[in-house]
Amino acid sequence: MDYNKLAELLFPNTDKTPEYYENLYPARDLPEGCKVTRMGPSPTGFIHLGNLYGAFVDERMAHQSGGTFYLRIEDTDDKRFVEGAVETIVSSLKFFGINFDEGAVLDEDGNPTEIGSYGPYFQSERGPVYQAFAKSLVEKGLAYPCFLTEEELAAIRAEQEAAQETTGIYGKYAEKSRNLTLDEISSNIEKGMPYVIRLRSDGNLTGELKEDGTPKLRYITVQDAIRGKVSMPANDQDVIILKATGIPTYHFAHVVDDHLMRTTHVVRGEEWLMSLPIHIELFEKLGFEPPVYCHTAVLMKIDEETGNKRKLSKRKDPELSLDYYRKEGYHPQAVKEYLLTILNSNFEEWRRDNPDTPADEFAFTTEKMSSGGALFDLNKLRDISKDVLLKIPAEELADFLVEWAREFKPAAADLLGGSDEAKAYLTKILDLGRQDKKPRKDLVYASQIFDFISYFYDKYFVIREQIPEEVSDEDAAEILRRYEAGYDHSDDQSAWFDKIREIAVDMGYAAKPKDYKKHPEDYKGHVGHVSTVIRIALMGRSQSPDLWSIQQILGEERTRARIKALI
């Protein structure tokens, strides 16, 4: 076989060589030890927690080493393309603090574009690059055209399944296509027969036999940055590298692109481990040095019904989608802190020792990543979020809440931040109880925060709970009448509570809860029941931060109005 003639027959319009692209995309001018990482999502319209999980590893590895982190859009499968998906990917990751040094970005108008010297960063625009490297493989006898029809492929698969063999085109099943002559190939092309380009695999058999007479397999060994040494049988599949349309498969495209874009480390999920032999063989055949692979653990959760671990599911678990965290209003810093607890086993200990240090100063490392299932716990995220929000200044937290409302609760946006006065009011609310010796940790995420503080706004104020059963309706009305009559907005906290205690004692309620507990027969209830009546009148609920402080924020006019309304 004259492979050069075959290559010209298959790629008559490809005049660029691999050497041309090697010169076009030279080695990056970076100091030794700098890492180059990438994120390569498909624009399917669904970006999930696993994407953020991997992107965070990529970003930390690159930026902590002084390297480069880029975004490549792997859009060769037009059947899966969703309009607006690229915009969703970039904006969602940016919201969570994931910023790229180069690659696909959004311009000032929010439209997809790109920056950097190693583009195009959209695989759909890199066709000539893949054609040049595929042609090179054909010239070396390392790839060939395959004209097998759908019917022939189905028949081969049926035969393999019946014999309980691995499915695919390899060994004897590849011989028909591998052994075509140049004239036969030329004739097929003239007839208009569609074909794909397949890799001519070396197979995974050594040609030797083990002691028991079975074939000895050839293995690949890779040093995974997370899992350590990984050994697997070498690839034996003549995988497709170019489809009949000329579009590359994921296997081929990512190998070519990772090399030319000078990627040093590839972070991806453990589901790609089974494809590792194919990728290693492609790197070898193309003469490229493979990157360092980092196969992350799959995200798991405890199933509420069974109590067992299972993978996070797009169908069952809304928390898998990044949209969930944006709509609920989780602060990106809280999500980042939580992901670090999953990603590195020593982060929580570091955080305890460094409570006020920015998380970006934590020395992230792949050696501390788990190779087992990473357990995702929404309740733990919420606990971490409480601590994170407590450290964010109230004014900054108010800005975050207003931005969230503008996107997800627009009817309340102006109320929360439509003016300097509104913003100042919101800031006071959010700062309530945060400066105490034991600061309150009531704030978790934006939608919860809005619900928690909604009673401060007349538009959203509702009576949610009943007065204590120890207090009759008549007593409740009388308590509120006396409270309103004696109310002085300038009272300090001590004077204010003395008046409540006086009302309680005068109406037959114990001055202290412990007195009522010891002798319930002597009292209607205690001072706490009395103050709860007032609390419900002002907040609509029986539990809240400090009542006196709340009144100071509500103001005298609103306080009196609510008391009168419940009377």
Side-chain angles (χ1 to χ4, degrees):
M1 172 72 76
D2 187 330
Y3 292 121
N4 286 320
K5 283 187 178 180
L6 176 59
E8 288 301 323
L9 178 64
L10 298 175
F11 301 95
N13 301 316
T14 300
D15 57 354
K16 298 291 191 295
T17 64
E19 290 71 29
Y20 169 81
Y21 290 109
E22 293 285 356
N23 291 327
L24 185 63
Y25 305 113
R28 292 176 181 269
D29 185 17
L30 291 172
E32 186 176 350
C34 291
K35 298 178 176 66
V36 179
T37 62
R38 52 82 168 165
M39 184 178 179
S42 298
T44 60
F46 181 73
I47 183 163
H48 55 77
L49 193 65
N51 297 132
L52 180 62
Y53 179 77
F56 191 61
V57 179
D58 281 317
E59 187 272 336
R60 288 289 78 204
M61 290 178 71
H63 291 161
Q64 285 190 167
S65 67
T68 300
F69 177 36
Y70 70 91
L71 175 63
R72 183 174 71 223
I73 302 299
E74 300 185 345
D75 58 348
T76 56
D77 189 349
D78 55 4
K79 293 179 181 177
R80 300 182 67 206
F81 180 82
V82 174
E83 195 68 37
V86 175
E87 293 89 329
T88 299
I89 291 168
V90 176
S91 61
S92 295
L93 292 171
K94 185 176 182 180
F95 175 81
F96 288 101
I98 302 295
N99 295 299
F100 299 94
D101 302 303
E102 65 182 49
V105 295
L106 301 181
D107 62 20
E108 292 181 357
D109 297 322
N111 299 314
T113 184
E114 56 183 44
I115 56 173
S117 304
Y118 289 80
Y121 295 91
F122 292 79
Q123 286 187 333
S124 58
E125 299 174 15
R126 296 176 62 83
V129 181
Y130 308 128
Q131 297 283 326
F133 283 91
K135 182 177 182 179
S136 173
L137 288 177
V138 173
E139 288 173 341
K140 297 173 183 175
L142 301 177
Y144 63 90
C146 174
F147 296 87
L148 289 172
T149 65
E150 290 296 328
E151 291 76 16
E152 288 174 311
L153 290 169
I156 289 172
R157 184 178 186 86
E159 180 182 342
Q160 292 168 337
E161 290 177 345
Q164 296 185 327
E165 296 175 338
T166 302
T167 58
I169 302 304
Y170 61 93
K172 67 179 182 180
Y173 301 106
E175 289 178 359
K176 176 182 176 182
S177 299
R178 282 187 171 205
N179 295 332
L180 289 175
T181 65
L182 187 60
D183 288 339
E184 288 173 322
I185 293 171
S186 180
S187 175
N188 287 344
I189 292 175
E190 287 177 8
K191 293 175 185 175
M193 292 177 63
Y195 63 90
V196 299
I197 304 297
R198 290 186 182 275
L199 177 72
R200 190 186 295 270
S201 173
D202 292 335
N204 63 8
L205 298 180
T206 63
E208 303 175 35
L209 297 178
K210 293 189 288 187
E211 291 183 3
D212 61 2
T214 58
K216 186 179 290 186
L217 295 180
R218 185 167 61 89
Y219 280 79
I220 62 158
T221 300
V222 174
Q223 190 67 29
D224 188 284
I226 296 173
R227 298 166 185 273
K229 184 182 290 187
V230 176
S231 292
M232 305 173 70
N235 173 57
D236 69 347
Q237 296 276 343
D238 283 9
V239 295
I240 297 172
I241 58 175
L242 289 184
K243 303 172 191 176
T245 57
I247 295 174
T249 58
Y250 167 78
H251 298 309
F252 188 59
H254 103 274
V255 166
V256 171
D257 289 343
D258 281 342
H259 171 70
L260 292 180
M261 294 178 181
R262 310 301 172 176
T263 311
T264 64
H265 291 69
V266 170
V267 178
R268 61 187 189 182
E270 66 179 24
E271 66 271 15
W272 288 104
L273 272 171
M274 297 307 296
S275 299
L276 189 58
I278 294 172
H279 301 158
I280 293 300
E281 183 166 15
L282 279 167
F283 274 105
E284 290 174 352
K285 290 280 194 292
L286 288 163
F288 302 157
E289 182 73 23
V292 176
Y293 280 101
C294 316
H295 289 93
T296 60
V298 67
L299 287 173
M300 312 281 285
K301 72 172 290 186
I302 300 295
D303 190 284
E304 294 178 0
E305 296 180 2
T306 66
N308 298 323
K309 289 183 181 181
R310 64 166 173 79
K311 287 176 63 175
L312 280 172
S313 161
K314 180 179 178 180
R315 182 174 58 85
K316 294 181 178 180
D317 306 310
E319 67 267 31
L320 181 60
S321 171
L322 288 192
D323 276 348
Y324 171 83
Y325 302 94
R326 295 190 68 178
K327 289 176 181 175
E328 290 292 282
Y330 282 90
H331 197 284
Q333 186 59 38
V335 177
K336 178 184 282 191
E337 290 258 340
Y338 176 63
L339 284 179
L340 276 169
T341 68
I342 299 178
L343 287 166
N344 265 193
S345 57
N346 60 327
F347 176 74
E348 290 183 82
E349 181 181 352
W350 178 88
R351 174 49 80 206
R352 284 194 295 270
D353 295 339
N354 303 274
D356 300 317
T357 305
D360 285 348
E361 294 187 23
F362 170 70
F364 174 83
T365 173
T366 54
E367 285 77 11
K368 292 292 185 179
M369 291 183 68
S370 170
S371 60
L375 190 61
F376 180 80
D377 184 346
L378 198 56
N379 288 325
K380 186 171 182 179
L381 167 60
R382 289 169 178 162
D383 286 340
I384 287 174
S385 185
K386 293 175 184 178
D387 291 327
V388 169
L389 295 192
L390 187 60
K391 295 174 184 177
I392 297 175
E395 189 171 358
E396 185 181 326
L397 196 57
D399 289 335
F400 173 73
L401 189 61
V402 171
E403 286 303 310
W404 169 82
R406 284 183 180 139
E407 186 171 0
F408 298 107
K409 204 172 186 65
D414 285 343
L415 194 64
L416 295 174
S419 66
D420 291 342
E421 184 181 1
K423 184 70 73 64
Y425 183 63
L426 176 61
T427 301
K428 285 182 181 178
I429 295 169
L430 296 176
D431 211 26
L432 184 60
R434 286 158 56 96
Q435 310 305 323
D436 297 347
K437 287 184 178 180
K438 288 187 176 181
R440 297 183 65 91
K441 295 182 181 181
D442 298 309
L443 311 182
V444 189
Y445 50 91
S447 61
Q448 175 270 338
I449 293 171
F450 179 80
D451 181 68
F452 184 70
I453 68 171
S454 60
Y455 58 80
F456 280 98
Y457 298 91
D458 293 338
K459 180 179 178 180
Y460 294 96
F461 173 69
V462 291
I463 302 293
R464 296 187 180 185
E465 298 180 48
Q466 300 294 318
I467 61 173
E469 61 181 19
E470 291 83 359
V471 182
S472 68
D473 288 350
E474 294 76 13
D475 270 10
E478 182 62 21
I479 288 168
L480 295 174
R481 275 193 285 272
R482 294 189 183 194
Y483 182 74
E484 198 269 333
Y487 184 76
D488 186 339
H489 197 65
S490 63
D491 282 344
D492 63 19
Q493 195 163 20
S494 178
W496 163 80
F497 191 69
D498 283 344
K499 290 181 179 180
I500 294 178
R501 186 182 288 114
E502 185 179 332
I503 293 170
V505 172
D506 192 49
M507 292 184 64
Y509 294 84
K512 297 178 182 179
K514 66 179 182 180
D515 293 339
Y516 174 67
K517 189 175 182 180
K518 287 181 179 178
H519 303 287
E521 69 279 1
D522 293 340
Y523 305 98
K524 296 178 181 179
H526 58 72
V527 68
H529 298 132
V530 172
S531 62
T532 297
V533 172
I534 300 167
R535 192 182 302 273
I536 288 173
L538 295 176
M539 275 72 76
R541 55 191 84 177
S542 60
Q543 299 291 326
S544 74
D546 178 65
L547 182 55
W548 178 83
S549 300
I550 290 172
Q551 290 176 145
Q552 296 303 303
I553 296 173
L554 286 172
E556 182 172 2
E557 183 180 347
R558 187 180 279 120
T559 297
R560 289 186 181 278
R562 290 190 180 179
I563 294 293
K564 290 176 180 177
L566 190 56
I567 292 174

